[in-house]
């Protein structure tokens, strides 16, 4: 019998308890032993709920119980999650977390601590919800050098962009709808400004390069400035606007960015709609691959957490190495990254061509009084300079 | 230094040598030791080629060399691959193969033998080329009961269906083009009749249920009967025709089938075009997920083989369990599986409705002198009976 504790009994935490219960038999068969929930750490008492008898309010009860082998952290946020997780690892317990804020900020340190204690710190659910991506990066794509990793890793904004595309609705309207449906939080900043996606691409890039990538270093733009007019242009180009979190390895090193991109219909991420997430990977020998699934939601995310529990339960005496050192990776300045850019302006063609040279104009249905055009491939830095020179810029969206 | 041998120096085998060379450094970093190619077993001498010095013609040289820890089998076909692989496992060597015929026929036995010898028998490249799917099923989706697994697992036929859809060309025309481009073999039977896909879904289903699924038990239809008229109907329905290999778990057990299906645009597999492969999985807690990538090709497939080599090199003294016993699984008769069916007939509406009851008619552009309709959900067996009763059947395609 392997005893588990859950810290934080919100949506994901209660989902983990549910999955451990629903699939009790098949999990026991895979592990070769029964996996049982012993404690739930939460501030609340859950009076009258069957979970009540497992509730504890002090994390030290869990840390000090030698019976508990595996701890699930589903509280969210850096503190007190960090303190609790660190204590559990120091007490020789395996820990899995769904908490991207914690992993992005403290991943390298907690991985090192787990290694030192010969236990495991896993975080499959911290990126892409139920989609297996951390384990595939760590144990499947091991023959490759990963040259690009690009994800639609935020379900809220992908739902919103899909709705804006399909219904022609504007940002605020779609946000209200997403909030009403529970897809967006009351304070949607972390999602719509790209902060959530930024932490996730920091984690993925750290795993790909094996070093610490600080999310604060990643240039991040959200979707708040995308308008129905932009969508019309996208449709005229046969493209879709998606919030991408992407990092690429170039001759000088890794660059990462979070921003809306115009994706062609031929791109595997083009058809990823609604609350679904997907992560596209390009390996130097594998070529293109993509992992698709539910990026959020109670049970899908809990499925990923429990997959970590199963892996740890099968390796109770063994640290499975994860290459992610605390040595900081200096990202190449995003301004050096070359892209084509779609730009909308009230300037005239003479000015546009004087500043940007050869461009391709785009005409969107019913849009007048402005110009829309796509630049040749230029660096982000160049583009910023040219925008300042041209002036009268209404919008800029990267073209993938 | 870990020494490797490759048996069969064709496209995949030479790709494996290339990947081991191109990514030598990163592979060594992941394994914690250098991985070096010592022997290549082939009938040819490769005179003047640098590989010449590693060529051996007798597999026993490899089996009897204690220095060789890992053997790669990329010969194809059941024999002599089976004899060679068995000998290697018996000699205490780890084996990875890209050979779906061997895995479908002898997988359970070779997995058991590897376990007995405390080595590993792995086969990531046998399904979906470079796409990680065997390892994800075995070690990532472990919190779930897999209720459905459906793949586009044959690049040749997917390329052909994509071309037929995009160009309106007929089967023979597209086949010639595919052969000219090297996407189809001179004798295309194994691909176009679905036999290749059949072996792959047998492997996937065996992994999902943990028992031996005999590919001979799987009802298999290819794409040879698909016509440009069918494509027109598909387009009128906003659907795409794809050759799917699929198995589902129902209340009575598992059913599997290989056949062309009409997929709606909302299905994740709808947008999988050209030579790409993808495998869709539905887990009882995960929900829908999909793994997409290059299903064939020298380097992508070699990437999957080498990922097995890395995994085995990291676990030289440990058998990683794979649940696939030799106990045969009796599949539920495919005739019990319920589907909607698209049917074309020269019979009239009165006859159609007398036999099939409520149906939905489809009108394809420029098609006259026949009726196209979609049935309600009925069993395969019922549908066959009704077809016989109606007569004058031009086509039947399942609707997913």
């Amino acid at each position: 019998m392997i005893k588990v504790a859950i810290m934080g009994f919100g949506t994901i935490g209660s989902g983990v308890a549910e999955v451990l219960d629903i699939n009790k038999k098949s999990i026991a068969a895979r592990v070769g032993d029964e996996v049982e929930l012993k404690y739930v750490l939460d501030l609340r008492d859950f009076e009258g709920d069957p979970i009540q008898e497992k509730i504890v309010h002090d994390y030290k009860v869990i840390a000090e119980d030698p019976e508990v082998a595996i701890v699930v952290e589903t509280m969210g946020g850096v503190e007190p999650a960090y303190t609790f997780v660190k204590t559990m690892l120091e007490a020789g317990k395996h820990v899995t977390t769904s908490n991207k804020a914690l992993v992005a900020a403290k991943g390298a340190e907690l991985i090192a601590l787990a290694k030192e204690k010969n236990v495991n710190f896993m975080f499959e659910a911290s990126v892409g919800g139920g989609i297996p991506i951390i384990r595939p990066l760590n144990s499947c794509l091991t023959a490759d050098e990963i040259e690009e990793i690009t994800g639609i890793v935020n379900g809220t904004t992908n739902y919103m962009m899909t709705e804006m595309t399909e219904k022609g609705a504007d940002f605020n309207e779609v946000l209200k709808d997403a909030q009403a449906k529970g897809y967006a939080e009351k304070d949607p900043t972390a999602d719509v400004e790209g902060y959530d996606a930024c932490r996730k691409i920091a984690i993925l890039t750290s795993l790909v390069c094996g070093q610490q990538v600080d999310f604060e270093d990643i240039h991040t733009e959200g979707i708040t400035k995308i308008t129905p007019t932009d969508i019309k242009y996208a449709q005229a180009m046969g493209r879709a606007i998606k919030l991408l979190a992407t990092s690429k390895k170039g001759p000088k090193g890794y660059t990462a960015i979070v921003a809306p991109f115009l994706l062609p219909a031929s791109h595997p991420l083009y058809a990823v709609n609604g609350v679904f997430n997907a992560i596209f990977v390009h390996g130097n020998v594998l070529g293109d691959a993509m992992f698709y699934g539910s990026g959020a939601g109670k049970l899908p995310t809990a499925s990923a957490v429990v997959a970590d529990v199963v892996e740890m339960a099968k390796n109770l005496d063994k640290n499975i190495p994860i290459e992610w050192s605390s040595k900081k990776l200096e990202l190449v300045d995003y301004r050096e990254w070359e892209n084509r850019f779609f730009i909308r302006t009230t300037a005239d063609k003479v000015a546009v061509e004087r500043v940007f040279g050869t461009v391709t104009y785009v005409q969107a249905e019913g849009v007048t009084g402005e110009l829309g055009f796509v630049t040749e491939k230029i660096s982000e830095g160049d583009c910023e300079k040219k925008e300042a020179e041209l002036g009268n810029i209404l919008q800029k969206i990267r073209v993938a």
Side-chain angles (χ1 to χ4, degrees), chain A:
Chain A
M1 183 85 77
I2 297 168
K3 303 272 183 176
V4 174
I6 296 172
M7 303 195 295
F9 206 65
T11 306
I12 313 300
S14 60
V16 170
E18 211 173 315
V19 171
L20 286 174
D21 186 50
I22 298 172
N23 289 343
K24 197 177 184 67
K25 266 193 185 172
S26 55
I27 290 168
R30 286 193 186 111
V31 170
D33 197 351
E34 271 184 53
V35 175
E36 198 187 71
L37 182 60
K38 183 164 185 180
Y39 297 115
V40 170
L41 178 75
D42 205 282
L43 295 171
R44 296 161 291 179
D45 286 317
F46 294 93
E47 229 165 296
D49 187 309
I51 207 70
Q52 187 182 3
E53 59 182 62
K54 295 185 173 154
I55 292 285
V56 293
H57 299 301
D58 182 359
Y59 73 101
K60 288 183 184 144
V61 174
I62 299 168
E64 287 163 11
D65 185 338
E67 252 199 356
V68 175
I70 298 169
V71 178
V72 171
E73 187 276 301
T74 45
M75 302 160 56
V78 177
E79 277 297 355
Y82 169 64
T83 304
F84 292 4
V85 166
K86 208 175 152 185
T87 308
M88 297 306 162
L89 292 171
E90 278 168 349
K93 300 182 190 313
H94 299 261
V95 177
T96 165
T97 180
S98 61
N99 180 344
K100 75 227 155 232
L102 175 67
V103 179
K106 305 286 183 182
E109 182 191 329
L110 296 169
I111 287 167
L113 178 58
K115 191 178 175 185
E116 188 196 315
K117 296 287 173 183
N118 198 37
V119 291
N120 290 286
F121 174 67
M122 293 187 176
F123 42 91
E124 181 60 70
S126 67
V127 181
I131 307 170
I133 181 65
I134 306 293
R135 217 179 316 279
L137 279 178
N138 202 43
S139 69
C140 298
L141 304 176
T142 51
D144 275 78
E145 310 236 8
I146 306 298
E147 295 173 339
E148 178 187 342
I149 185 156
T150 298
I152 293 175
V153 289
N154 181 274
T156 305
T157 48
N158 202 49
Y159 172 79
M160 289 177 65
M161 293 308 307
T162 305
E163 288 290 293
M164 285 177 75
T165 300
E166 287 175 0
K167 300 190 178 153
D170 81 359
F171 177 81
N172 289 310
E173 209 174 309
V174 167
L175 176 58
K176 265 184 211 159
D177 163 59
Q179 286 170 321
K181 288 190 170 137
Y183 294 158
E185 292 184 47
K186 217 172 169 182
D187 176 0
T189 314
D191 292 321
V192 299
E193 295 292 359
Y195 304 154
D196 172 85
C198 172
R199 277 156 183 81
K200 290 170 177 169
I201 194 68
I203 295 171
L204 294 175
T205 310
S206 297
L207 282 171
V208 164
C209 72
Q211 288 180 237
Q212 173 67 21
V213 173
D214 287 343
F215 65 85
E216 297 92 338
D217 297 348
I218 298 173
H219 178 76
T220 301
E221 300 174 16
I223 61 162
T224 54
K225 288 175 195 151
I226 302 295
T227 68
T229 306
D230 299 326
I231 303 281
K232 279 184 194 161
Y233 275 106
Q235 286 167 335
M237 297 159 82
R239 288 172 177 264
I241 305 176
K242 299 282 183 189
L243 182 68
L244 300 185
T246 176
S247 68
K248 285 189 188 178
K249 190 182 178 186
K252 287 190 182 173
Y254 292 87
T255 323
I257 189 172
V258 175
F261 278 77
L262 280 151
L263 276 182
S266 60
H267 197 286
L269 294 175
Y270 173 88
V272 177
N273 289 319
V275 293
F276 281 95
N277 278 199
I279 295 131
F280 168 88
V281 174
H282 182 87
N284 74 330
V285 290
L286 172 65
D288 294 348
M290 184 179 71
F291 302 80
Y292 167 98
S294 296
K298 181 177 181 167
L299 292 183
T301 308
S303 156
V305 173
V306 175
D308 278 350
V309 171
V310 170
E311 180 92 351
M312 298 193 297
K314 288 166 80 173
N315 292 281
L316 285 178
D317 299 321
K318 190 186 168 189
N319 171 264
I320 297 165
I322 299 175
E323 282 177 66
W324 178 352
S325 82
S326 57
K327 190 180 159 200
K328 176 170 168 158
L329 181 86
E330 292 298 341
L331 292 171
V332 176
D333 188 333
Y334 81 98
R335 289 180 195 84
E336 295 192 21
W337 193 342
E338 291 199 338
N339 254 314
R340 292 191 303 142
F341 296 87
F342 166 71
I343 290 171
R344 287 169 48 209
T345 178
T346 50
D348 63 17
K349 287 192 177 184
V350 175
V352 165
E353 289 164 32
R354 179 177 50 80
V355 175
F356 281 93
T358 309
V359 300
T360 308
Y361 292 100
V362 185
Q363 184 56 57
E365 213 187 311
V367 178
T368 54
E370 60 172 82
L371 288 175
F373 65 91
V374 176
T375 70
E376 301 279 279
K377 212 169 184 184
I378 54 176
S379 74
E380 292 267 354
D382 262 11
C383 192
E384 287 177 9
K385 275 184 218 149
K386 286 178 196 289
E387 283 172 76
E389 191 182 339
L390 180 65
N392 306 302
I393 302 293
L394 300 171
Q395 180 63 288
K396 171 175 75 174
I397 306 176
R398 290 154 186 90
V399 177

